[in-house]
Structures are given as structure tokens and as C-alpha cells.
């Protein structure tokens, strides 16, 4: 079993835009295995490659997430579409910011296209928590953290709480999603 250390806020890799995967090879399959095993050990909902220090457009999902009817456990080079304007607001956390949960607005419904680790095209449609997780992990691939989605007052409260941590990177970036 390969469990990899999860990078925390302040690590520059979390702010990089991840590179698309172009080779569907043994290296990619190893990355997906490492993501899945690290996610399982951490008991999280999702984990992106940048969170384990690899700036590639890949993330793992907990296959047991409510709404994950196809039991998807990873997605390579995801592209998101939103079928409507409906939003959800609810608590969200991140394995790279342990112990912090904040109400975060997301789209309620999402369609995600991408590839499996073998290079086969895949499309999933989801809502609620499953949609939230897909959006959260795709944000990571764009160098965006869920704390960036907080309003100004929420960001100020969070910065005040975390500013004393030596690993915290206070740069705020607006999500493209």
C-alpha cells in the first residue's frame, strides 16, 4: 500500500495550474493507485494529484459517495459543464486544510467529462455532495482552494484564524468555475 503525504496550504504546488495528462501509461496508473490509497487512508471524499505534490490533471473520488452511481474512483483531465444555474450552499472541508469546514456555494448539478487511467472516455452526471466533490477537486487542478470561494468577511475570519500557522499561504485567488 502506498500512502503519500498530503500537502498543506502554503505548499506552492497547491496554487499551480496542473498540466493535462498526455500519456496513459504505468506512471499514470501508479499515480491513480497512490491517490486512491491515500484517499482511503485519509477517509476523505476526494483528493487531487496536486495535493500529493504532482501537478497533473487527475483526481480520486471516494466511490461510496452518495450520488456516485457509477462508483467512479478517479477522473483524468476533467472538463465540467453545468446544466442549470441551481446552487447549493453547505459545509465543505479539504484534506489540505485540516479541521476547517466552511459553508461554500457550489453548483448543485454537474456533468464531468474526462478519461479513465487507461485513456477511455468517461462522463458522469451528479448532484449534491457528488457534484460538490467534483467541483472541489477540479478547482484544485486550477490552483484554487475552497477558501478562495469565501466572501470577503469569511476570508478575513479565516485569515485571522490561520495567519499564525507557519505553513499558511494567504494568497487568495478567484475560481474560474
Amino acid at each position: 500500500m502506498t500512502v503519500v503525504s498530503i500537502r498543506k496550504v502554503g505548499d506552492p504546488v497547491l496554487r499551480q495550474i496542473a498540466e493535462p495528462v498526455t500519456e496513459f501509461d504505468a506512471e499514470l496508473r501508479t499515480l491513480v493507485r497512490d491517490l486512491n490509497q491515500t484517499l482511503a487512508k485519509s477517509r476523505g471524499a476526494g483528493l487531487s494529484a496536486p495535493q500529493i505534490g504532482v501537478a497533473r490533471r487527475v483526481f480520486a473520488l471516494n466511490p461510496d459517495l452518495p450520488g456516485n452511481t457509477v462508483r467512479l474512483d478517479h477522473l483524468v483531465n476533467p472538463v465540467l459543464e453545468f446544466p442549470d444555474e441551481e446552487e447549493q450552499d453547505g459545509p465543505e472541508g479539504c484534506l489540505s486544510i485540516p479541521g476547517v469546514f466552511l459553508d461554500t456555494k457550489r453548483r448543485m448539478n454537474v456533468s464531468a467529462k474526462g478519461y479513465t487511467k487507461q485513456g477511455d472516455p468517461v462522463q458522469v452526471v451528479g448532484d449534491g455532495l457528488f457534484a460538490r466533490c467534483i467541483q472541489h477537486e477540479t478547482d484544485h487542478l486550477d490552483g484554487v482552494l475552497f477558501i478562495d470561494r469565501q466572501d470577503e468577511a469569511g476570508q478575513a475570519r479565516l485569515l485571522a484564524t490561520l495567519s499564525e500557522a507557519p505553513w499558511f499561504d494567504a494568497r487568495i485567488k478567484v475560481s474560474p468555475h
Side-chain angles (χ1 to χ4, degrees):
M1 183 171 194
T2 305
V3 174
V4 182
S5 179
I6 296 173
R7 305 294 178 96
K8 303 293 186 268
V9 174
D11 190 311
V13 73
L14 295 175
R15 293 301 189 172
Q16 291 177 6
I17 295 175
E19 295 292 324
V21 170
T22 57
E23 301 287 328
F24 293 82
D25 55 10
E27 184 178 332
L28 176 62
R29 289 187 295 279
T30 298
L31 174 59
V32 169
R33 184 196 68 220
D34 292 350
L35 282 165
N36 283 323
Q37 291 177 351
T38 303
L39 177 60
K41 177 76 172 177
S42 70
R43 297 181 172 193
L47 184 67
S48 69
Q51 289 179 277
I52 63 169
V54 181
R56 305 291 291 194
R57 296 191 73 78
V58 181
F59 62 76
L61 293 169
N62 181 334
D64 296 325
L65 279 174
N68 188 353
T69 57
V70 296
R71 298 191 45 81
L72 182 74
D73 71 352
H74 72 281
L75 193 58
V76 178
N77 296 337
V79 176
L80 305 187
E81 294 179 2
F82 302 100
D84 56 44
E85 299 295 318
E86 188 177 357
E87 292 184 330
Q88 59 176 310
D89 196 8
E92 193 166 316
C94 181
L95 294 171
S96 291
I97 311 171
V100 174
F101 295 89
L102 300 169
D103 282 343
T104 305
K105 271 192 183 168
R106 295 280 184 185
R107 299 295 277 279
M108 177 61 82
N109 303 294
V110 68
S111 171
K113 295 179 183 177
Y115 299 90
T116 67
K117 62 189 174 191
Q118 290 87 13
D120 298 324
V122 63
Q123 179 176 356
V124 294
V125 176
D127 63 4
L129 180 60
F130 187 51
R132 176 179 295 280
C133 186
I134 288 171
Q135 292 169 77
H136 179 107
E137 298 311 325
T138 302
D139 269 358
H140 273 299
L141 305 182
D142 293 326
V144 176
L145 301 174
F146 85 105
I147 57 176
D148 302 330
R149 293 182 162 278
Q150 300 303 304
D151 62 21
E152 192 173 317
Q155 287 178 353
R157 284 191 305 274
L158 183 62
L159 289 173
T161 301
L162 296 179
S163 64
E164 295 181 20
W167 46 262
F168 183 66
D169 179 357
R171 290 177 290 169
I172 302 297
K173 184 176 177 181
V174 176
S175 171
H177 302 290

